[in-house]
Amino acid sequence: MAYRNKVYVAFDGDNDIFKYDLIKAWSKNQNIDFHIDDAHDLNTSKDSSQEASIKHNLSIRFSNSKAFILLVGEHTKNLTKFVKWEIETAIRLELPIIAVNLNGKKRADELMPPLLKENLSIVVPFKMVAIKYALENWPESDKEYRKNQDHRQYHYNDKVYDSLGI
């Protein structure tokens, strides 16, 4: 198996790309203690590419990923062509899934894709410290929950957020 060191980030490319760009900016800023090895850096797909070609490129990104982040915006749950496929793939590959609420909520709400409500994942608000905390802590928790056949959706309690200053 290939060494998995990347983080796969999925999002609504039409409406939420600016949030993805912000995550990339945090990661590139040497004055900020936040870094992800973005799986999107592995290859690119043009909007005009065929669906099969795009999914092939996305599969390469998945094969090099250690975690999956889904940016959950207003329209995410309605996206069935690629985002739903990306969620299904992350579930099938048993990647630790971090659902990031772009509206800042700390728990799942009506915007959460149903697939994530029914599968092991953690929900965090779109705050750099919350995303960093989840990337550092959720993979180990995910492993334990899987070992115990626990596949619920989780969120951190207020004590964790208080310690993060949120």
Side-chain angles (χ1 to χ4, degrees):
M1 175 160 66
Y3 179 67
R4 295 174 175 225
N5 63 344
K6 304 287 186 182
V7 175
Y8 190 109
V9 182
F11 55 93
D12 176 352
D14 292 330
N15 296 294
D16 301 327
I17 194 161
F18 64 98
K19 295 291 190 174
Y20 169 67
D21 288 341
L22 183 54
I23 288 175
K24 289 192 323 184
W26 292 337
S27 186
K28 289 179 182 174
N29 187 330
Q30 294 180 2
N31 297 317
I32 297 176
D33 183 22
F34 180 89
H35 181 74
I36 63 169
D37 288 318
D38 188 357
H40 288 279
D41 293 339
L42 292 173
N43 55 35
T44 58
S45 295
K46 296 183 173 85
D47 288 343
S48 60
S49 299
Q50 296 295 316
E51 182 175 344
S53 173
I54 292 172
K55 286 183 177 178
H56 172 74
N57 284 341
L58 297 178
S59 293
I60 292 169
R61 294 175 188 172
F62 268 113
S63 69
N64 288 283
S65 296
K66 63 181 180 181
F68 176 81
I69 291 177
L70 177 66
L71 302 181
V72 181
E74 268 187 63
H75 306 285
T76 308
K77 73 177 180 179
N78 301 320
L79 300 175
T80 58
K81 190 171 188 177
F82 294 111
V83 172
K84 183 180 179 201
W85 178 85
E86 289 170 307
I87 295 168
E88 290 169 344
T89 302
I91 291 167
R92 182 175 46 78
L93 294 174
E94 297 186 351
L95 290 175
I97 298 173
I98 302 167
V100 178
N101 272 332
L102 298 182
N103 61 14
K105 294 190 178 175
K106 299 174 184 172
R107 292 174 170 74
D109 60 13
E110 69 282 351
L111 298 177
M112 189 63 53
L115 268 173
L116 285 187
K117 289 181 179 181
E118 303 161 1
N119 285 281
L120 184 58
S121 59
I122 188 78
V123 178
V124 298
F126 187 78
K127 302 279 186 190
M128 184 182 60
V129 293
I131 297 168
K132 180 181 180 209
Y133 182 87
L135 282 168
E136 292 171 352
N137 294 281
W138 180 246
E140 192 60 37
S141 297
D142 177 271
K143 190 183 304 180
E144 286 299 312
Y145 290 129
R146 285 185 194 284
K147 189 170 28 172
N148 295 322
Q149 301 296 310
D150 185 351
H151 297 281
R152 294 177 285 163
Q153 186 172 61
Y154 285 87
H155 59 268
Y156 293 119
N157 62 35
D158 290 337
K159 184 177 176 183
V160 168
Y161 289 117
D162 288 346
S163 72
L164 296 173
I166 301 176

